Amino acid sequence: MKFLELLCELQSILSDAINSVEIKSVKTLEARYLVWAAVSVNQAAGGFIVLRRSKMIEASKLLVRPILEALLSACAVMQKQGFLFRKLYSELMEEKKLPRLQPTMPADVAKALSDYRQLFLSFDPNYPFQEKKVTTRDAAIEAKMLPLYEVVYRTYCNFTHGAMLATTGELNQTTNDLDTHFVVLFVLTTLENLQKHTPAKIPNLDAYRNKLSHL
């Protein structure tokens, strides 16, 4: 219960921080992406709180992975120049596989890539472009958070993928006491990155980090 109370505090701070940012005042595309990723973290964390308060414990577990995934991508983008374009490229290549796409879509994708290149160059004339796909594991490596990927991310993939370990309830006992702890950590880390890289209005987070370490 103490973890959930802490999460509620931090999610409220994150929401206020996001609302305090005028996106045009954020100087780089990477930092803008960080703000957009923070929005995803905030929305999912808010949903997690609602489900947890409603005692829908199993349903809440489905939100842990997307929160971590958004955090890993955001941290990778801030750590590694060029990663943001590679992530964008990867997502556009996946779009081409969708069955609803029209025959003209490859040309549309090429134009989109060209337009994005111009956007990136308008922010940084020396931006390093590389048309090479990235994975969530790649993001974890660049973010220097590989242990979180190998253990936490892989564990919660069982819930989002409908794996038998999850659907039969075998993972519940292992994860029940950890779910909220992880979400608190991810929200706090998101706040710390916003504080470091954007003009978001965020209070001193030391007390929250200390509280987490002593719970």
Side-chain angles (χ1 to χ4, degrees):
M1 195 63 183
K2 290 182 179 179
F3 280 115
L4 189 59
E5 292 173 0
L6 179 55
L7 177 58
C8 290
E9 287 184 65
L10 289 170
Q11 192 262 332
S12 178
I13 293 172
L14 180 56
S15 183
D16 289 343
I18 291 167
N19 290 332
S20 75
V21 176
E22 170 54 53
I23 199 67
K24 290 182 179 179
S25 70
V26 181
K27 302 301 183 183
T28 67
L29 283 178
E30 287 81 3
R32 290 185 182 188
Y33 177 79
L34 171 60
V35 175
W36 297 326
V39 172
S40 293
V41 171
N42 183 54
Q43 291 170 339
F48 180 92
I49 290 168
V50 170
L51 292 171
R52 215 69 183 187
R53 283 176 167 171
S54 301
K55 307 300 181 185
M56 299 179 68
I57 307 302
E58 290 76 15
S60 72
K61 295 176 189 291
L62 295 170
L63 292 170
V64 178
R65 174 193 166 187
I67 294 172
L68 176 55
E69 199 158 15
L71 175 63
L72 291 175
S73 293
C75 290
V77 164
M78 298 313 301
Q79 291 273 359
K80 179 68 172 179
Q81 189 182 29
F83 192 89
L84 181 57
F85 182 81
R86 287 185 61 192
K87 178 173 173 57
L88 177 63
Y89 172 81
S90 301
E91 292 178 2
L92 284 171
M93 293 304 102
E94 289 301 311
E95 284 286 318
K96 289 172 65 174
K97 298 178 183 178
L98 295 177
R100 61 175 170 76
L101 300 180
Q102 301 299 315
T104 56
M105 192 59 187
D108 294 339
V109 169
K111 184 179 185 307
L113 277 174
S114 177
D115 290 345
Y116 279 123
R117 280 176 175 270
Q118 293 305 311
L119 175 63
F120 277 74
L121 288 172
S122 71
F123 279 82
D124 180 0
N126 298 311
Y127 192 89
F129 295 103
Q130 191 176 20
E131 292 188 0
K132 183 178 178 182
K133 288 186 178 182
V134 292
T135 64
T136 303
R137 189 175 190 277
D138 294 327
I141 291 171
E142 297 297 350
K144 298 178 174 58
M145 294 179 175
L146 188 58
L148 276 178
Y149 172 85
E150 297 288 7
V151 179
V152 182
Y153 182 84
R154 287 184 179 278
T155 296
Y156 285 91
C157 277
N158 284 282
F159 295 102
T160 55
H161 291 167
M164 288 189 65
L165 277 176
T167 56
T168 58
E170 290 186 43
L171 271 182
N172 288 345
Q173 187 173 356
T174 305
T175 57
N176 280 349
D177 294 334
L178 297 173
D179 305 331
T180 311
H181 186 167
F182 285 135
V183 178
V184 167
L185 175 62
F186 304 155
V187 171
L188 181 56
T189 305
T190 301
L191 280 165
E192 289 170 339
N193 276 276
L194 284 174
Q195 193 172 58
K196 181 178 180 180
H197 298 291
T198 77
K201 296 177 181 178
I202 299 171
N204 190 301
L205 297 170
D206 290 345
Y208 296 100
R209 178 64 71 173
N210 289 335
K211 186 181 291 187
L212 175 60
S213 66
H214 287 93
L215 282 179

